[in-house]
Amino acid sequence: MAKVVTMGEIMLRLSTPNNEKFIQADEFDINYGGGEANVAVSLANYGHDAEFITAVPANPIGECAVAALRKYNVGTKHIARSGERLGIYFLETGSAMRASNVVYDRAHSAISTATPDQFNFDEIFADADWFHFTGITPAVSDAAIDLTEAALKAAKAHGVTVSVDLNFRKKLWSSEKAQKVMTNLMQYVDVCIGNEEDAEKVLGFKPGNTDVTSGELELAGYVDIFNQMADKFGFKYIISSLRESHSASDNGWSACIMDGKTREFYHSRKYHITPLLTV
Amino acid sequence: MAKVVTMGEIMLRLSTPNNEKFIQADEFDINYGGGEANVAVSLANYGHDAEFITAVPANPIGECAVAALRKYNVGTKHIARSGERLGIYFLETGSAMRASNVVYDRAHSAISTATPDQFNFDEIFADADWFHFTGITPAVSDAAIDLTEAALKAAKAHGVTVSVDLNFRKKLWSSEKAQKVMTNLMQYVDVCIGNEEDAEKVLGFKPGNTDVTSGELELAGYVDIFNQMADKFGFKYIISSLRESHSASDNGWSACIMDGKTREFYHSRKYHITPLLTV
Amino acid sequence: MAKVVTMGEIMLRLSTPNNEKFIQADEFDINYGGGEANVAVSLANYGHDAEFITAVPANPIGECAVAALRKYNVGTKHIARSGERLGIYFLETGSAMRASNVVYDRAHSAISTATPDQFNFDEIFADADWFHFTGITPAVSDAAIDLTEAALKAAKAHGVTVSVDLNFRKKLWSSEKAQKVMTNLMQYVDVCIGNEEDAEKVLGFKPGNTDVTSGELELAGYVDIFNQMADKFGFKYIISSLRESHSASDNGWSACIMDGKTREFYHSRKYHITPLLTV
Amino acid sequence: MAKVVTMGEIMLRLSTPNNEKFIQADEFDINYGGGEANVAVSLANYGHDAEFITAVPANPIGECAVAALRKYNVGTKHIARSGERLGIYFLETGSAMRASNVVYDRAHSAISTATPDQFNFDEIFADADWFHFTGITPAVSDAAIDLTEAALKAAKAHGVTVSVDLNFRKKLWSSEKAQKVMTNLMQYVDVCIGNEEDAEKVLGFKPGNTDVTSGELELAGYVDIFNQMADKFGFKYIISSLRESHSASDNGWSACIMDGKTREFYHSRKYHITPLLTV
Amino acid sequence: MAKVVTMGEIMLRLSTPNNEKFIQADEFDINYGGGEANVAVSLANYGHDAEFITAVPANPIGECAVAALRKYNVGTKHIARSGERLGIYFLETGSAMRASNVVYDRAHSAISTATPDQFNFDEIFADADWFHFTGITPAVSDAAIDLTEAALKAAKAHGVTVSVDLNFRKKLWSSEKAQKVMTNLMQYVDVCIGNEEDAEKVLGFKPGNTDVTSGELELAGYVDIFNQMADKFGFKYIISSLRESHSASDNGWSACIMDGKTREFYHSRKYHITPLLTV
Amino acid sequence: MAKVVTMGEIMLRLSTPNNEKFIQADEFDINYGGGEANVAVSLANYGHDAEFITAVPANPIGECAVAALRKYNVGTKHIARSGERLGIYFLETGSAMRASNVVYDRAHSAISTATPDQFNFDEIFADADWFHFTGITPAVSDAAIDLTEAALKAAKAHGVTVSVDLNFRKKLWSSEKAQKVMTNLMQYVDVCIGNEEDAEKVLGFKPGNTDVTSGELELAGYVDIFNQMADKFGFKYIISSLRESHSASDNGWSACIMDGKTREFYHSRKYHITPLLTV
């Protein structure tokens, strides 16, 4: 089993139970998570040695976030206590034709003001095999951009494999700023995960000129854009998930991967999933 | 945004949580609603100025019904306090092959004994644009028939547009009585909403002789019956929702409308909806 | 263990959880009970063979009331299905200085329209040792007075011991009507339970002229009134519970009993109980 | 309506609410059930006179299991109190791609140590029409095998029709032991329920050599195996449910039956059911 | 009934249910409130015409705060939509020896950045009888000080009676700043509410030199300090609540009031209250 | 902060919510704990480095127990996976006069069959300061006696301070067996915790001949018995908690300690606590 480090923001998610609208809810279900924290929890669940790097405020809500990670067996000893609050997002789960709704209340969060000197990256990466981050982390604040690059430099200095999930978040930054920041960070990345939209918004790649009208041609578009990405950044692997909506109750999920060196391209089998209306 | 008045019965709905059967339930979820009250809440939600007219008993349960309307921004200042009880219905939500089950306990409700003199209809309709009622309201009691007609007369006197949802309720009255009462009330109506079954049971229209075996032909039936309705009552618009059951998990919902003057007929796009088992 | 029959109304109790006010509640806790039904459940819990006699509507809510009794091992085979609804009462549990609040919605209940011919009293009392009823049962309706007397006659005909809890309910009848009805029914009663207030309101006894300023003198008042009751009705035993409020959090509960023949009077030990704020 | 007796283990089911994983759950929903108990509850629900035979420990948890049966109107007067504990199983309800998970904690249960002398089978079957058991009951323990055969002998002695649901449980016994035990018990059985897998694992029948690639051919396989079963054991009827998975959200359920004497074979209509993700 | 206006911050309160610690909680109970909003809700509950002035963010969480006020019949038409977030506080309810714990997350709230031009104070106070605010409102931010004074000036210009609850909040400002700001605002106040501590921290009054060792002498101290307050600010009335802790389960609550003109002093009866452990 | 190791059984506690009786409950609240595990959680909460030693079954329920400890920051890396089940106890929380009720289902638990070779005690105690166990651990089974002594020997070999809470459990063993086993284990103990009853039942000490009729004399009894305990076993400290019941709602809790060498005796201040009826 590998030792994997992930870094990012962990937020308090307050979601309405039983598909209630915000205005109907008398209570919120409590969860603590975020893109990078969730990856750490999943890896720990599969038996890997996962460590999560973040900053939380020095108050009971921050400690609850840390306790949640600890419960799921994620390493938490490098988490900093600083800043004034834990980011929050409110989730109203959708129902039938009504879409889910998210209200973010994440400004001024602990991670947005954290600085590299709060973390002992040499110790963090000393025995690590892999470092994973997403495009959400540097989008949080300018301080977070510096923090992300500091972590990446340390990871590379220790020979750690680096993966990124591009994850464009338009509420946090513009495509222009994302491209400027993330293009620079790609020099540290070995494995890049992202769909066509992420590739365009975060890294500036234009989708290929393929005539995309069926499933097969869509894959051709991915081959084209993955080739461009491998050419420009020399990624070892480029990966994307693929989602098809067959009907209201039948979505097909699959994934594709390209070997950056051999340019071999694989497409996984599809899973048919009924969207979970109740969560 | 328009000022809309709706009038009818508001009931206490006691529903079993988590698709439990009545015999399994240890608690009931509480909601206050009814056909006309729900229309007022939806209109208020879309930003309209909605007012609801009803009678509730002068006790805390009646006040809870009023508070629920107020929370959703529906005007409640003309709601009367009278009568002995709020109507109740118990709802056992279905699951898989087990259908939902409703037990009504609505006899002797406040609205069933309310009289026109309890309401200042001149003030209610003074600045209103629209009045909406349904075939449920006069079905509640003979007193409610008088109350409905009094409201309709006042609405027309103030030049308010009137809409009705025919909504046949066989547990409340017979088709014979419905036809007698509702045919008379149609003189006040501008916009009539109802499907083929309502048109037959409430107004006595026979479905056309079209050979109804496919979706298109079904629409032809609606054109035929809408023409009859426009001929007889001079409605400005006639409207119906249309439901198709494609499979256990894929229902198609759409709506159609006829302009009573030009007889133009439109059919909306269809939405595919997976029936919500958990609401 | 004795075979005990009790008869009365069983209602659906809808109570707000967690000491919420009605206006705050999103759900009601469900219980089925009533003075006489609760006695049957307690006796069954102590191992007696308890049978409950009532009428419930022939709908799922009525069946739930019966299922609740069955769960607690109370015999239900003589319960009639008739009438239109199950009586309901809404309970808002108090908190700190705010008292509990009850809203009754029990008019038109099944038991209020039940008639003696719906019950096979000969079979019901064939092997019974004891019959218990309360002053609530005949207070429900005139039909319920007839039903109660029919049951009492049958009980005496089978040599069954009869007890009554006087239980005056001012919302159901006046003291005048209570005295008229209950004085007549006392001819069938062997054991009478009730405090000074019940004795006055239900049977017309005036409290004795004792100078009631301390605990001991209060007991003297009970001796006096119990003697009057034994003289007039020849009860075998007269019983009352006694409640003292020592402080906001310390109530003393005890009970007293007089042997109607020997006029011996006993007072139990006291139990100190902190009122349960959360039920 | 018939009088039906079923016999088996009743367990405490502790299931996570809202599709939570075990590690997420703060509470368990409580249910009491088991293959044979559930049949008794369903039959009572349809109005039959159902009696359930089992042993539960003489403690409050055992009494709760009995009270649950009583609530659903199942006869419980022959249930023995013995043994040290009630069997438990923990259920983590699945969600989307995550399957449900069951953890059994049923060793040392009351039924596994019960003996025939604890039950008055003559009284139990005196007025019974039908006795139903499953292959789970004898799989629980060697003592349970003896208990099952004792019940079957008594049932046949009283001319009671006997049905079995073969229900192979690999966590409780091997196919070898199942075949040895169950083949012997088939001498008492009139009606046998089980699919192809059960027939093979529990009774040792090999599926026919039909080319099973479509729905129709699958039925041919059932005709073949049912004929073998009728030949060998002389069953009056052989029955199986049939499940087809058309898509992620559309399962077809039907059933088939063969008359063991005439060898007539019927196939019911299919019901399309969206799997309930939330139960 | 009077028309009363109150102004202040309304926050989202997230409290752990069932006396759980933060680390134990899986859900938060939702309430919206604050010192001034709660006064408005209570007054509306007693039948007064209550209006609440505040600013909430233009998002669903802000709208939920407004809907909660509307449900309790508080006027909300003058509430501004501005700013980035609704203030939050987390409440861990105490149990036995463990005290309650509050975590504030109220920085950057909508009310802290609201400005006087967002409110039409002439319209707000046109027909008002009374204006109530607390020392919490100006403590929120410097902008809130300006807003409070603007409201006070408008209230006095319309001849509205003004009351203040001094309510010192050490987490929001220092005693020095409180005294500077609040001493200035007292020129607009008619009725001043506050205990000895508030009088000292917010207005700089020193407790009198009375020998405070018993209940009576404590009252003497209040007479002394109320006289000082009346002398300096010319209040019409000065009021304080008084709390005595008789034992772990018996707290005495009362209140005292001085007429600023006649210097008459009254002390109410005491209520004995068992602290609610479960709220 | 010290490094503390505790060892014992961790059980799944299933408790009825809201003071419900077992027969009323539809769900159980889930907690994982035990005398020694709770000590570890409390110490971790106060900032100590706490490690818990036990065995849990290799299934999801066992893992949930471990995750709960991890969440509360207790070290879990030495917990063994073995045995067939996790011990369970069912808790019905009392209410008013009804006492709480506990049903144990802990036979055949993982810890009852664990053996010393499953634990690397040299590593466990290498850097430990303190080892704590209770009289419950060896009471579980004969294997557990061996396991306890093996741990104690290792602890002493590493110079670790050892404390015991005598905790007599009559459902697990007799006083005779307890005295035989525990007297032997006292040779490893430095700090002994237990009240008069524990001292008598577990170690065979007779209470002193003091005339125990008041609080002070009770303390004299403790001085006497602590002196005997110090004489016989040479404990460094002997400790007991003391509980006085002043009234139904006012319990006094305090503690006393004796220095085994100087025989100095201290009594802490008392805390008055209202018993939590809702747990």
Side-chain angles (χ1 to χ4, degrees), chain F residues 4-9 35-37 39 52-53 125 130-139 144-145 147-149 151-153 155-156 161-167 173 181-193 202-203 235:
Chain F
V4 183
V5 177
T6 80
M7 183 177 88
E9 178 167 14
E36 306 82 4
V39 167
F52 184 62
I53 309 300
F125 291 116
W130 197 287
F131 176 58
H132 177 74
F133 75 110
T134 79
I136 305 169
T137 306
I145 295 170
L147 180 65
T148 306
E149 186 155 17
L152 286 166
K153 281 183 180 164
K156 292 320 281 184
T161 300
V162 172
S163 62
V164 68
D165 187 337
L166 298 176
N167 252 339
W173 58 4
V181 172
M182 292 294 281
T183 297
N184 172 51
L185 298 182
M186 288 307 107
Q187 65 183 295
Y188 308 102
V189 171
D190 300 293
V191 176
C192 181
I193 304 164
V202 178
L203 296 179
F235 296 133

Coordinates of all heavy atoms in Angstrom, one line a residue, chain F residues 4-9 35-37 39 52-53 125 130-139 144-145 147-149 151-153 155-156 161-167 173 181-193 202-203 235:
Chain F
V4 N -0.6 7.1 28.5 CA -1.4 6.2 29.4 C -1.9 5.0 28.5 O -2.5 5.3 27.4 CB -2.5 6.9 30.0 CG1 -3.3 6.0 31.0 CG2 -2.0 8.1 30.8
V5 N -1.8 3.8 29.0 CA -2.4 2.7 28.3 C -3.5 2.1 29.2 O -3.4 2.0 30.4 CB -1.3 1.6 28.1 CG1 -1.9 0.3 27.5 CG2 -0.1 2.1 27.3
T6 N -4.6 1.8 28.5 CA -5.7 1.1 29.3 C -6.1 -0.1 28.5 O -5.9 -0.2 27.3 CB -7.0 2.0 29.5 OG1 -7.8 2.1 28.3 CG2 -6.6 3.5 29.9
M7 N -6.6 -1.1 29.2 CA -6.9 -2.4 28.5 C -8.3 -2.9 29.0 O -8.5 -2.9 30.2 CB -5.8 -3.4 28.8 CG -6.1 -4.7 28.0 SD -4.7 -5.9 28.3 CE -5.3 -6.7 29.7
G8 N -9.1 -3.4 28.1 CA -10.4 -4.0 28.6 C -11.3 -4.3 27.4 O -10.8 -4.4 26.3
E9 N -12.5 -4.4 27.7 CA -13.5 -4.8 26.6 C -14.2 -3.5 26.1 O -14.6 -2.6 26.9 CB -14.6 -5.7 27.2 CG -15.6 -6.1 26.1 CD -16.5 -7.2 26.5 OE1 -16.5 -7.6 27.7 OE2 -17.2 -7.8 25.7
G35 N -15.6 0.6 30.5 CA -15.0 1.3 31.6 C -13.6 1.8 31.2 O -13.2 3.0 31.4
E36 N -12.7 0.9 30.6 CA -11.3 1.3 30.4 C -11.2 2.1 29.1 O -10.4 3.0 29.0 CB -10.5 0.0 30.2 CG -10.6 -0.9 31.4 CD -11.9 -1.8 31.3 OE1 -12.6 -1.7 30.3 OE2 -12.1 -2.6 32.3
A37 N -12.1 1.9 28.1 CA -12.1 2.7 26.9 C -12.5 4.1 27.2 O -11.9 5.1 26.7 CB -13.0 2.0 25.8
V39 N -12.1 5.7 30.0 CA -11.0 6.4 30.6 C -10.0 6.9 29.5 O -9.5 8.0 29.6 CB -10.3 5.5 31.6 CG1 -8.9 6.0 32.1 CG2 -11.2 5.2 32.8
F52 N -5.4 2.3 23.7 CA -6.3 1.4 24.2 C -6.0 0.0 23.7 O -5.8 -0.2 22.5 CB -7.8 1.8 23.9 CG -8.8 0.8 24.5 CD1 -8.9 0.7 25.8 CD2 -9.7 0.1 23.6 CE1 -9.9 -0.2 26.4 CE2 -10.6 -0.8 24.2 CZ -10.7 -0.9 25.6
I53 N -6.0 -1.0 24.6 CA -5.7 -2.4 24.2 C -6.9 -3.3 24.3 O -7.5 -3.3 25.4 CB -4.6 -3.0 25.1 CG1 -3.4 -2.0 25.2 CG2 -4.2 -4.3 24.7 CD1 -2.7 -1.7 23.9
F125 N 4.3 -1.1 26.1 CA 4.7 -0.4 27.3 C 6.1 0.3 27.2 O 6.5 0.9 28.2 CB 4.7 -1.3 28.5 CG 3.3 -1.8 28.9 CD1 2.9 -3.1 28.8 CD2 2.4 -0.9 29.4 CE1 1.6 -3.5 29.1 CE2 1.1 -1.2 29.7 CZ 0.7 -2.6 29.6
W130 N 1.9 5.0 32.3 CA 0.8 4.6 33.2 C 0.0 3.5 32.6 O -0.2 3.5 31.3 CB -0.1 5.8 33.5 CG -1.0 5.6 34.7 CD1 -2.1 4.8 34.8 CD2 -0.9 6.3 36.0 NE1 -2.7 5.0 36.1 CE2 -2.0 5.9 36.8 CE3 0.0 7.3 36.5 CZ2 -2.2 6.3 38.1 CZ3 -0.2 7.7 37.8 CH2 -1.3 7.3 38.6
F131 N -0.4 2.5 33.3 CA -1.3 1.5 32.8 C -2.5 1.4 33.7 O -2.4 1.3 34.9 CB -0.6 0.1 32.7 CG -1.5 -1.0 32.3 CD1 -2.2 -1.0 31.1 CD2 -1.7 -2.1 33.1 CE1 -3.0 -2.0 30.7 CE2 -2.5 -3.2 32.7 CZ -3.2 -3.1 31.5
H132 N -3.7 1.4 33.1 CA -4.9 1.4 33.9 C -5.8 0.2 33.5 O -6.0 0.0 32.3 CB -5.7 2.7 33.8 CG -7.0 2.7 34.5 ND1 -7.1 2.8 35.9 CD2 -8.3 2.6 34.0 CE1 -8.4 2.7 36.2 NE2 -9.1 2.6 35.2
F133 N -6.3 -0.6 34.4 CA -7.3 -1.6 34.1 C -8.4 -1.6 35.2 O -8.3 -0.8 36.1 CB -6.6 -3.0 34.0 CG -6.2 -3.6 35.3 CD1 -6.9 -4.8 35.7 CD2 -5.2 -3.1 36.1 CE1 -6.5 -5.4 36.9 CE2 -4.9 -3.7 37.3 CZ -5.5 -4.8 37.7
T134 N -9.4 -2.4 35.0 CA -10.5 -2.5 36.0 C -10.8 -4.0 36.3 O -10.3 -4.9 35.6 CB -11.8 -1.8 35.5 OG1 -12.4 -2.8 34.7 CG2 -11.5 -0.5 34.8
G135 N -11.5 -4.1 37.4 CA -11.9 -5.5 37.8 C -12.9 -6.1 36.8 O -13.2 -7.3 36.9
I136 N -13.3 -5.4 35.8 CA -14.2 -6.0 34.8 C -13.5 -6.8 33.8 O -13.9 -7.9 33.4 CB -15.0 -4.9 34.0 CG1 -15.7 -3.9 35.0 CG2 -15.9 -5.5 33.0 CD1 -16.2 -2.6 34.3
T137 N -12.2 -6.4 33.5 CA -11.5 -7.1 32.4 C -11.2 -8.6 32.8 O -11.6 -9.5 32.0 CB -10.2 -6.4 32.1 OG1 -10.5 -5.0 31.8 CG2 -9.4 -7.0 31.0
P138 N -10.7 -8.9 34.0 CA -10.4 -10.3 34.2 C -11.7 -11.1 34.5 O -11.8 -12.3 34.5 CB -9.6 -10.3 35.5 CG -9.8 -9.0 36.1 CD -10.1 -8.0 35.0
A139 N -12.8 -10.4 34.8 CA -14.1 -11.0 35.1 C -14.7 -11.6 33.8 O -15.6 -12.4 33.9 CB -15.1 -10.0 35.7
A144 N -9.2 -14.1 29.8 CA -9.0 -12.7 30.1 C -8.2 -12.5 31.4 O -7.5 -11.5 31.5 CB -10.3 -11.9 30.2
I145 N -8.3 -13.4 32.3 CA -7.5 -13.3 33.5 C -6.0 -13.5 33.1 O -5.1 -12.7 33.5 CB -7.8 -14.5 34.5 CG1 -9.3 -14.2 35.0 CG2 -6.8 -14.5 35.7 CD1 -9.8 -15.4 35.8
L147 N -4.7 -12.9 30.2 CA -4.3 -11.7 29.4 C -4.0 -10.6 30.3 O -3.0 -9.8 30.1 CB -5.5 -11.4 28.5 CG -5.2 -10.2 27.6 CD1 -4.1 -10.5 26.6 CD2 -6.5 -9.8 26.8
T148 N -4.9 -10.4 31.4 CA -4.7 -9.2 32.3 C -3.3 -9.4 33.0 O -2.5 -8.4 33.1 CB -5.8 -9.2 33.3 OG1 -7.0 -9.1 32.6 CG2 -5.7 -7.9 34.2
E149 N -3.0 -10.6 33.5 CA -1.8 -10.8 34.2 C -0.6 -10.6 33.3 O 0.4 -10.0 33.7 CB -1.8 -12.1 35.0 CG -0.5 -12.2 35.9 CD -0.7 -13.2 37.0 OE1 -1.6 -14.1 37.0 OE2 0.1 -13.1 38.0
A151 N -0.4 -8.6 30.8 CA -0.2 -7.2 30.6 C 0.4 -6.5 31.8 O 1.3 -5.7 31.7 CB -1.6 -6.5 30.3
L152 N 0.0 -6.9 33.0 CA 0.5 -6.4 34.3 C 2.0 -6.7 34.4 O 2.7 -5.8 34.8 CB -0.3 -6.9 35.4 CG -1.7 -6.3 35.6 CD1 -2.6 -7.1 36.5 CD2 -1.7 -4.8 36.0
K153 N 2.3 -7.9 34.2 CA 3.8 -8.3 34.3 C 4.6 -7.4 33.4 O 5.7 -6.9 33.7 CB 3.9 -9.8 33.9 CG 3.6 -10.7 35.1 CD 3.8 -12.1 34.7 CE 3.4 -13.1 35.9 NZ 3.3 -14.5 35.5
A155 N 3.9 -4.5 32.1 CA 3.9 -3.1 32.6 C 4.9 -2.9 33.7 O 5.7 -2.0 33.7 CB 2.5 -2.7 33.1
K156 N 4.9 -3.8 34.7 CA 5.8 -3.7 35.8 C 7.3 -3.8 35.3 O 8.2 -3.1 35.7 CB 5.6 -4.7 36.9 CG 4.3 -4.5 37.6 CD 3.9 -3.1 38.0 CE 4.7 -2.5 39.1 NZ 4.2 -1.2 39.4
T161 N 3.6 2.8 36.0 CA 2.7 2.9 37.2 C 1.4 2.3 36.8 O 0.9 2.4 35.7 CB 2.5 4.4 37.5 OG1 3.7 5.0 37.9 CG2 1.5 4.5 38.7
V162 N 0.9 1.5 37.7 CA -0.4 0.7 37.4 C -1.5 1.1 38.4 O -1.3 1.2 39.6 CB -0.1 -0.8 37.6 CG1 -1.4 -1.6 37.5 CG2 0.9 -1.3 36.6
S163 N -2.7 1.4 37.8 CA -3.9 1.7 38.6 C -5.0 0.7 38.2 O -5.0 0.2 37.1 CB -4.3 3.1 38.3 OG -4.7 3.3 37.0
V164 N -5.8 0.5 39.2 CA -7.0 -0.4 39.0 C -8.2 0.2 39.5 O -8.2 0.9 40.6 CB -6.7 -1.8 39.7 CG1 -6.7 -1.7 41.2 CG2 -7.8 -2.8 39.2
D165 N -9.3 0.1 38.9 CA -10.6 0.4 39.4 C -11.3 -0.9 39.7 O -11.5 -1.7 38.8 CB -11.4 1.2 38.4 CG -12.7 1.8 39.0 OD1 -13.2 1.2 40.0 OD2 -13.2 2.8 38.5
L166 N -11.6 -1.2 41.0 CA -12.0 -2.6 41.4 C -13.3 -3.0 40.7 O -13.4 -4.2 40.3 CB -12.1 -2.7 42.9 CG -10.8 -2.4 43.7 CD1 -11.1 -2.4 45.2 CD2 -9.8 -3.5 43.4
N167 N -14.3 -2.1 40.7 CA -15.5 -2.4 39.9 C -16.1 -3.8 39.9 O -16.0 -4.5 38.9 CB -15.1 -2.1 38.4 CG -15.7 -0.8 37.9 OD1 -16.7 -0.3 38.5 ND2 -15.1 -0.2 36.9
W173 N -18.9 -12.5 37.6 CA -18.3 -13.5 38.4 C -18.8 -13.4 39.9 O -19.4 -12.4 40.2 CB -16.8 -13.5 38.3 CG -16.1 -12.2 38.6 CD1 -16.6 -11.0 39.1 CD2 -14.7 -11.9 38.5 NE1 -15.7 -10.1 39.3 CE2 -14.5 -10.6 38.9 CE3 -13.6 -12.7 38.1 CZ2 -13.2 -10.0 39.0 CZ3 -12.3 -12.1 38.2 CH2 -12.1 -10.8 38.6
V181 N -8.9 -14.1 42.2 CA -8.2 -13.6 41.1 C -7.6 -12.2 41.4 O -6.4 -12.0 41.1 CB -9.1 -13.4 39.8 CG1 -8.4 -12.7 38.7 CG2 -9.6 -14.8 39.4
M182 N -8.3 -11.3 41.9 CA -7.9 -9.9 42.1 C -6.8 -9.8 43.2 O -5.9 -8.9 43.1 CB -9.1 -9.0 42.3 CG -10.0 -8.9 41.1 SD -9.3 -8.0 39.7 CE -9.4 -6.3 40.2
T183 N -7.0 -10.6 44.2 CA -6.0 -10.5 45.3 C -4.6 -10.8 44.7 O -3.6 -10.1 45.0 CB -6.3 -11.5 46.4 OG1 -7.6 -11.1 47.0 CG2 -5.2 -11.5 47.5
N184 N -4.5 -11.7 43.8 CA -3.2 -12.1 43.2 C -2.7 -10.9 42.3 O -1.6 -10.5 42.3 CB -3.4 -13.3 42.3 CG -2.2 -13.6 41.4 OD1 -1.1 -13.6 42.0 ND2 -2.4 -13.7 40.1
L185 N -3.7 -10.2 41.6 CA -3.3 -9.2 40.7 C -2.8 -7.9 41.4 O -2.1 -7.1 40.8 CB -4.4 -8.8 39.7 CG -4.8 -10.0 38.8 CD1 -5.9 -9.5 37.8 CD2 -3.7 -10.5 37.9
M186 N -3.2 -7.7 42.7 CA -2.9 -6.5 43.4 C -1.4 -6.3 43.6 O -0.9 -5.2 43.8 CB -3.6 -6.5 44.8 CG -5.1 -6.3 44.7 SD -5.6 -4.8 43.8 CE -6.3 -5.6 42.3
Q187 N -0.6 -7.4 43.4 CA 0.8 -7.3 43.6 C 1.4 -6.3 42.5 O 2.5 -5.8 42.7 CB 1.5 -8.6 43.4 CG 1.3 -9.3 42.1 CD 1.9 -10.7 42.0 OE1 3.1 -10.9 42.1 NE2 1.0 -11.7 41.8
Y188 N 0.7 -6.1 41.4 CA 1.2 -5.3 40.4 C 0.7 -3.8 40.5 O 1.1 -3.0 39.7 CB 0.8 -5.8 39.0 CG 1.1 -7.3 38.8 CD1 0.2 -8.3 38.9 CD2 2.5 -7.7 38.5 CE1 0.5 -9.6 38.7 CE2 2.8 -9.0 38.3 CZ 1.8 -10.0 38.4 OH 2.1 -11.3 38.3
V189 N -0.2 -3.6 41.4 CA -0.9 -2.3 41.4 C -0.3 -1.2 42.3 O 0.1 -1.5 43.5 CB -2.4 -2.6 41.9 CG1 -3.1 -1.2 42.1 CG2 -3.1 -3.4 40.9
D190 N -0.2 0.0 41.8 CA 0.3 1.1 42.6 C -0.8 1.9 43.2 O -0.8 2.4 44.3 CB 1.2 2.0 41.7 CG 2.4 1.3 41.2 OD1 3.3 0.9 42.0 OD2 2.4 1.0 39.9
V191 N -1.9 2.1 42.3 CA -3.0 3.0 42.7 C -4.3 2.3 42.6 O -4.6 1.7 41.6 CB -3.0 4.3 41.8 CG1 -4.2 5.1 42.1 CG2 -1.7 5.0 41.9
C192 N -5.0 2.2 43.8 CA -6.2 1.4 43.8 C -7.4 2.3 44.0 O -7.5 3.1 44.9 CB -6.1 0.4 44.9 SG -7.6 -0.7 45.0
I193 N -8.4 2.1 43.1 CA -9.7 2.9 43.1 C -10.8 2.0 43.4 O -10.9 0.9 42.8 CB -9.9 3.6 41.8 CG1 -8.7 4.5 41.4 CG2 -11.2 4.5 41.8 CD1 -8.7 4.9 39.9
V202 N -14.5 -7.5 46.2 CA -13.4 -7.8 45.3 C -12.1 -8.2 46.1 O -11.3 -9.1 45.7 CB -13.0 -6.7 44.3 CG1 -11.9 -7.0 43.4 CG2 -14.3 -6.3 43.5
L203 N -11.9 -7.6 47.2 CA -10.7 -7.8 48.0 C -10.9 -8.4 49.4 O -9.9 -8.8 50.1 CB -9.8 -6.5 48.1 CG -9.4 -6.0 46.7 CD1 -8.6 -4.7 47.0 CD2 -8.5 -7.0 46.0
F235 N -0.3 -0.1 48.6 CA -0.7 0.8 47.5 C 0.0 2.2 47.8 O 0.0 2.7 48.9 CB -2.2 1.0 47.4 CG -2.9 -0.3 47.1 CD1 -4.1 -0.6 47.8 CD2 -2.5 -1.1 46.0 CE1 -4.8 -1.8 47.5 CE2 -3.2 -2.2 45.7 CZ -4.4 -2.6 46.4

